[in-house]
Amino acid sequence: KMTPIRTTIVLNLDNQLVCEVLDAILSIKERYIKFNGKGSKNCIKIRVNERHMAQYLNRGYVTQSTLDKIIKKDKNVDLSNLL
């Protein structure tokens, strides 16, 4: 029997856990790519509520470096405009 290649997992986090959980997911993704090659960059796709992230960044719940890894530079998202 066939199984789905991908699945969706939704997380609802306390604001103080956001950065820690995102960093952990990014670490898992980096290790997976390291062992499986750069062709596996789409192994984990992370989508966040950018308005929430702008507020979390402003209040210190998430770091800019973490957001830079999550929100692609080519989107030209200026989180300061979302506050």
Side-chain angles (χ1 to χ4, degrees):
K1 294 184 178 185
M2 294 184 62
T3 58
I5 294 173
R6 297 193 181 279
T7 192
T8 301
I9 299 171
V10 178
L11 300 171
N12 290 303
L13 303 171
D14 184 88
N15 57 9
Q16 294 181 3
L17 290 173
V18 171
C19 194
E20 184 177 350
V21 170
L22 289 176
D23 285 339
I25 292 169
L26 288 167
S27 175
I28 291 167
K29 181 177 181 176
E30 289 169 5
R31 284 193 316 252
Y32 185 85
I33 292 169
K34 180 180 177 181
F35 291 110
N36 293 288
K38 292 188 182 234
S40 58
K41 283 187 178 181
N42 291 327
C43 62
I44 297 176
K45 292 182 182 180
I46 303 170
R47 290 186 310 211
V48 294
N49 183 314
E50 292 175 2
R51 290 185 187 276
H52 290 184
M53 293 301 118
Q55 293 174 14
Y56 293 159
L57 179 63
N58 188 41
R59 289 175 178 82
Y61 292 130
V62 68
T63 64
Q64 185 66 53
S65 63
T66 297
L67 289 181
D68 288 345
K69 294 175 187 175
I70 302 291
I71 300 173
K72 303 298 181 220
K73 301 269 188 203
D74 56 8
K75 285 180 71 177
N76 293 321
V77 175
D78 182 6
L79 293 178
S80 64
N81 292 333
L82 298 175
L83 294 174

